[in-house]
Amino acid sequence: MAQASRPHPTACLALADGSLFYGQGFGAIGETVAELCFNTAMTGYQEIMTDPSYAGQIVTFTFPHVGNVGVNTDDDETAEPVAAGMVVKWDPTEPSNWRAEEHLSTWLARRGRIAIGGVDTRRLTRAIRQQGAPHVALAHDPSGNFDAAALVAKARGFAGLEGMDLAREVSCRQSYRWDEMRWAWPEGYKRQTEARHKVVAIDYGAKRNILRCLASAGCEVTVMPATTTAEEVLAQQPDGVFLSNGPGDPAATGEYAVPMIRGVLDRGVPLFGICLGHQMLALALGGHTIKMNHGHHGANHPVKEIETGKVEITSMNHGFAVDGQSLPDGVIETHVSLFDGSNCGIRLKDRPVFSVQHHPEASPGPQDSFYLFERFADSMAG
């Protein structure tokens, strides 16, 4: 009996070192260049693709079942996908979930995002871990015509994320109010009508679920652009200031973010930061940040709170980290990763100012760290 022939490749992933991965394309047709990372989460591919922290990156999913529950509007973390593309082991199947509104491939195509399936993601992930996050070019062409040498050249020509200020690109353009709270069965998203604290959230690429967690903790939230000044923040007379997650090199974003943060700190306002916001706070306090080999991207990262010894399983998504050895006197390291010992949290010794590298809002991921939003609310209560 004759063996069925395999379909010809319709997508190609080219690494800057010359490695080529062929597979089946889905989503949009075209080419894109980016940094390649991998994410180990077993759920939440839609939330990951719409997380602004993935700007400038293509995501390799180590979990093979991507696309099996489709997509829906409730799970978007921002209005459009921000990650440049996705790499998966198996081609997406027809969605099988009561919440599904659209097929993953259709959703990606409509939003101009390229994807490739049928790739040996285990091999690719090992390459990323051993060599660091590579620069890549991803092409999708239904006819299967690829100029491999040209794709490799484009990958080599990618400038990389170091020195790149991407927060300015993904941030909101004008301020707005947010009152939607966390999703709960059966009502879905309810509105905050009894807020106790007035919070300004600086948008470096904020996920919606972070804003929902703030609202659920009793906060009236005003979201302001990444380039907002300290004077503009303080003019809102906030009870607290929140620094959001976001993409790119924290040192580049810090050129305008650090002066704002220092101005807020000088007024003694409670402050809480997550991910890029954590890194921004560390820079404002005199610390330094470093580019990681392949970063932390997943929903199974153990983080230890040093003062209590408590271990939380957390969601993470970052390619830069705070250098814990660079923290000045008066800044206390509060959390560390149990994977590699990297810094995951800081606080000021005698003031209500703290931040964490991991994502307590999850989406996707475990809910071990939701209490941090309550801690922020408590700090504003005096």
Side-chain angles (χ1 to χ4, degrees):
M1 185 175 180
Q3 186 175 5
S5 61
R6 298 180 63 183
H8 71 272
T10 58
C12 178
L13 178 70
L15 278 60
D17 67 0
S19 300
L20 299 172
F21 292 80
Y22 290 96
Q24 299 303 307
F26 59 98
I29 296 170
E31 295 180 1
T32 188
V33 294
E35 178 183 277
L36 184 69
C37 66
F38 65 86
N39 190 299
T40 59
M42 296 175 67
T43 62
Y45 54 82
Q46 180 182 343
E47 293 94 320
I48 290 165
M49 290 298 293
T50 55
D51 180 350
S53 296
Y54 281 106
Q57 293 180 301
I58 292 172
V59 184
T60 299
F61 290 86
T62 62
F63 189 66
H65 302 285
V66 174
N68 56 328
V69 296
V71 293
N72 67 82
T73 52
D74 278 353
D75 289 346
D76 285 341
E77 286 298 325
T78 192
E80 299 288 339
V82 182
M86 63 160 53
V87 182
V88 300
K89 181 176 179 60
W90 293 339
D91 298 338
T93 60
E94 287 298 316
S96 178
N97 187 277
W98 66 275
R99 298 176 68 233
E101 298 172 1
E102 196 171 11
H103 192 289
L104 173 62
S105 182
T106 306
W107 181 76
L108 290 170
R110 191 156 51 82
R111 289 167 165 79
R113 293 297 184 267
I114 302 172
I116 179 174
V119 171
D120 185 349
T121 52
R122 181 184 292 266
R123 176 187 166 198
L124 192 56
T125 298
R126 291 185 66 179
I128 296 170
R129 287 181 60 88
Q130 292 168 2
Q131 303 169 22
H135 298 171
V136 300
L138 175 60
H140 175 199
D141 179 358
S143 67
N145 295 319
F146 302 106
D147 185 337
L151 289 174
V152 171
K154 290 177 181 179
R156 291 173 178 170
F158 179 61
L161 300 186
E162 286 191 80
M164 189 176 291
D165 173 27
L166 292 175
R168 190 192 303 260
E169 296 182 17
V170 299
S171 178
C172 60
R173 297 294 179 261
Q174 59 186 20
S175 300
Y176 63 93
R177 294 291 179 89
W178 184 276
D179 62 2
E180 188 175 84
M181 298 194 297
R182 287 169 48 199
W183 192 93
W185 175 263
E187 299 90 352
Y189 295 121
K190 297 177 65 176
R191 299 289 175 179
Q192 172 58 264
T193 58
E194 300 177 354
R196 303 182 301 277
H197 313 291
K198 188 175 181 180
V199 169
V200 166
I202 305 300
D203 177 16
Y204 300 120
K207 293 173 61 182
R208 289 175 176 172
N209 216 46
I210 288 179
L211 304 179
R212 294 182 186 117
C213 287
L214 289 170
S216 292
C219 300
E220 173 191 300
V221 183
T222 299
V223 184
M224 303 186 76
T227 54
T228 299
T229 65
E231 292 75 19
E232 291 168 332
V233 171
L234 294 171
Q236 298 289 324
Q237 299 183 319
D239 300 317
V241 173
F242 172 76
L243 309 175
S244 86
N245 64 296
D249 189 338
T253 303
E255 291 186 7
Y256 55 84
V258 164
M260 181 278 293
I261 295 169
R262 287 176 175 166
V264 171
L265 290 172
D266 288 344
R267 292 288 290 271
V269 179
L271 194 148
F272 174 35
I274 289 175
C275 197
L276 182 63
H278 162 67
Q279 297 161 6
M280 292 294 97
L281 177 62
L283 291 175
L285 294 174
H288 302 288
T289 56
I290 53 176
K291 181 78 164 69
M292 304 176 76
N293 179 62
H294 55 272
H296 288 167
H297 309 276
N300 62 340
H301 286 250
V303 168
K304 180 179 180 180
E305 186 174 36
I306 296 172
E307 294 172 324
T308 64
K310 177 185 177 183
V311 176
E312 302 165 27
I313 305 302
T314 72
S315 246
M316 283 200 181
N317 172 26
H318 59 106
F320 293 81
V322 172
D323 181 359
Q325 301 300 313
S326 71
L327 298 174
D329 291 341
V331 181
I332 299 172
E333 185 174 53
T334 59
H335 297 76
V336 293
S337 165
L338 292 184
F339 278 161
D340 59 11
S342 60
N343 174 267
C344 289
I346 60 174
R347 69 174 177 87
L348 280 182
K349 183 176 182 180
D350 54 1
R351 293 167 58 186
V353 173
F354 68 101
S355 61
V356 292
Q357 182 63 71
H358 49 286
H359 282 258
E361 84 289 349
S363 190
Q367 302 178 0
D368 295 18
S369 306
F370 274 167
Y371 70 91
L372 290 170
F373 294 97
E374 297 293 341
R375 180 178 291 179
F376 180 45
D378 291 344
S379 73
M380 292 183 284

